[in-house]
Amino acid sequence: MAPLAEALAAAAALVARVASGRSLTSELERAAEESPPASRAALTDLCYGTLRRYGRSQAIVAALSRRAGAADPQVEALLWCAFYALESGRYADYTVVDQAARACVAMQRTGAKGYVNALLRGYLRARPMLEARLAADPVAHYQHPAWWIERVCAAYPSSWKNVLAAGNQHPPMCLRVNARRTTVDAYALRLDAEGIRARRVGAAALLLDKPVPVERLPGFAAGDVSVQDAGAQRAAGLLDLRAGQRVLDACAAPGGKSAHIAETADIKLIALDIDAARSADVKRNLERLGLTAEVRTADCSAPEAWWDGIAFDRILADVPCSASGVARRHPDIKWLRRAVDVAAFAARQARILDALWRTLAPDGKLLYVTCSVFPEENGAVIDTFAARTPGARCAPLADGAPAQLLPGPGHDGFFSALIEKPA
């Protein structure tokens, strides 16, 4: 079977599973174990590109299909992947049409060859007319669920289109230089020597002109550098870390912020995560960077199960959230999230704050972080917490930037709030 047909067949099966509720990350990890390295790049591109186009491909099928009855999920997913392949510009139109038909055979859907062929050719003939129709459909045009569009529009009336557009783009690649091993300027010279262009965007951050495989990054395996979004690198600087402090990273996986904290100051760090496999990721990250921390698997909202009663000087609560600020990195979020999830996340975030506040020392600071753009998970959670918690005070952020970073060319979407406990 030709490489594109093989990739389309594999991508269709994977995208169909994601559309039914599975995680893109876990599905790609499983596919990586089953497929040769040469085919992984095409598979990853087809899956990410297709899932970023939430609503668009479905609207095209709805406009062109004349089939009655329930659709075959895998055939539908194959069409979505083929539409992305056509729009990507990486392949000739006739190649995509031919290879999609061949993919039907590989998927044991031989009877669908004519249907797939007809829809793809129909799309190519009717593309100008379809584009006008798609532009009039908000879900197809902005490529996000309707409830998501409504929330973003209400929260950011002057910038909502930019927020949604960012969610459909390829994310930037930013590095965090390990200050315990080298300097930003020295590492930038090493990148330049390898032909990798970058610019400094933070105390330890270098933003690459274009993404590269981590294998190309000099000193990556040795722990000289990590990949971490510039917005995520904000946290360590906002915590006001000082030598000797006892610090908790309450929702630590995969460990990027824990590592940055440990790189920043000589502190005693406890990194907590509720998931054992993800706690193992934290350990691996720290080991690669030559850093130490006490990594535990526990639910941070139940301190009675893990806390020794010794208060923390600083707490990072990078809480579970909708991840609406990082949708371009995890496009399956658009498919998996529901409107009711936002309130559920906010309730969980409130429980975490209440639990962690008990473990914070007098005169201590708790940094609340989400990768969400929904105010219900951000300012609203902090406002209600401060209102019900005697002594809790929201402090100014040291970097002078707004609490809410919206996703843009240089960073993802993050919210940060620093809460101080009275002495």
Side-chain angles (χ1 to χ4, degrees):
M1 183 170 50
L4 181 56
E6 181 179 352
L8 284 167
L14 195 153
V15 166
R17 291 195 293 272
V18 171
S20 70
R22 304 292 288 274
S23 159
L24 173 59
T25 301
S26 61
E27 289 298 317
L28 281 174
E29 287 174 353
R30 188 175 74 170
E33 297 173 355
E34 301 171 353
S35 59
S39 65
R40 290 174 196 163
L43 174 63
T44 300
D45 175 64
L46 285 168
C47 291
Y48 272 85
T50 299
L51 292 170
R52 284 196 183 104
R53 284 157 173 73
Y54 177 97
R56 178 178 172 85
S57 296
Q58 294 88 331
I60 294 172
V61 173
L64 295 175
S65 180
R66 298 293 180 266
R67 277 195 170 185
D72 182 327
Q74 291 213 26
V75 174
E76 290 283 290
L78 173 62
L79 286 166
W80 303 341
C81 294
F83 288 138
Y84 165 67
L86 287 169
E87 294 179 340
S88 72
R90 291 182 173 84
Y91 315 97
D93 291 350
Y94 70 87
T95 299
V96 176
V97 175
D98 172 70
Q99 296 295 293
R102 292 175 183 267
C104 290
V105 178
M107 296 163 59
Q108 300 183 338
R109 303 296 197 279
T110 304
K113 284 178 63 176
Y115 171 67
V116 168
N117 185 288
L119 245 70
L120 294 178
R121 291 182 181 277
Y123 167 70
L124 293 172
R125 288 193 303 269
R127 186 182 287 186
M129 176 273 294
L130 281 171
E131 288 300 332
R133 182 168 174 172
L134 295 174
D137 177 350
V139 172
H141 181 66
Y142 295 111
Q143 299 171 59
H144 284 73
W147 66 267
W148 191 315
I149 296 171
E150 291 168 4
R151 284 177 187 260
V152 172
C153 186
Y156 310 104
S158 63
S159 56
W160 65 275
K161 291 182 180 179
N162 292 335
V163 174
L164 294 174
N168 300 327
Q169 295 165 354
H170 288 270
M173 184 173 182
C174 190
L175 308 181
R176 188 191 74 244
V177 176
N178 185 349
R180 295 191 179 273
R181 290 182 177 267
T182 185
T183 67
V184 175
D185 291 341
Y187 192 79
L189 290 174
R190 293 169 67 186
L191 288 177
D192 190 62
E194 297 293 331
I196 302 172
R197 295 181 61 83
R199 60 186 175 92
R200 188 169 187 165
V201 293
L206 288 167
L207 183 66
L208 303 190
D209 281 4
K210 59 182 181 180
V212 300
V214 294
E215 294 80 12
R216 281 198 60 198
L217 297 175
F220 179 84
D224 293 346
V225 70
S226 297
V227 178
Q228 187 181 37
D229 185 76
Q233 293 188 42
R234 233 187 141 189
L238 295 177
L239 274 169
D240 185 25
L241 297 167
R242 300 173 191 174
Q245 288 176 333
R246 181 175 161 90
V247 180
L248 172 69
D249 185 354
C251 309
K257 294 184 182 69
S258 286
H260 195 190
I261 288 169
E263 290 169 1
T264 302
D266 294 321
I267 45 85
K268 177 176 174 55
L269 175 64
I270 295 178
L272 208 66
D273 200 84
I274 196 170
D275 184 271
R278 286 169 60 78
S279 294
D281 291 339
V282 177
K283 290 180 180 178
R284 281 191 290 270
N285 268 324
L286 293 170
E287 288 170 1
R288 179 181 66 83
L289 295 163
L291 303 169
T292 58
E294 184 179 343
V295 181
R296 301 183 191 173
T297 300
D299 180 356
C300 68
S301 66
E304 62 278 1
W306 57 266
W307 185 40
D308 60 8
I310 303 174
F312 295 99
D313 301 296
R314 300 288 186 268
I315 296 177
L316 171 61
D318 184 13
V319 296
C321 69
S322 63
S324 50
V326 295
R328 58 188 176 187
R329 294 189 190 277
H330 306 282
D332 52 331
I333 289 169
K334 300 181 193 178
W335 300 71
L336 303 179
R337 294 286 181 259
R338 300 292 180 266
V340 296
D341 295 340
V342 178
F345 276 118
R348 185 178 181 188
Q349 291 153 1
R351 290 194 299 272
I352 289 173
L353 278 175
D354 288 339
L356 294 178
W357 189 249
R358 303 187 339 241
T359 72
L360 183 65
D363 205 29
K365 297 179 182 181
L366 184 153
L367 182 67
Y368 176 88
V369 175
T370 77
C371 54
S372 172
V373 297
F374 298 142
E376 296 90 337
E377 300 179 89
N378 298 335
V381 170
I382 294 301
D383 290 345
T384 55
F385 172 76
R388 70 173 179 268
T389 308
R393 186 182 80 86
C394 290
L397 299 176
D399 61 5
Q404 179 70 68
L405 294 183
L406 296 177
H411 55 73
D412 293 332
F414 286 91
F415 175 85
S416 303
L418 188 64
I419 311 170
E420 294 181 337
K421 196 171 194 176

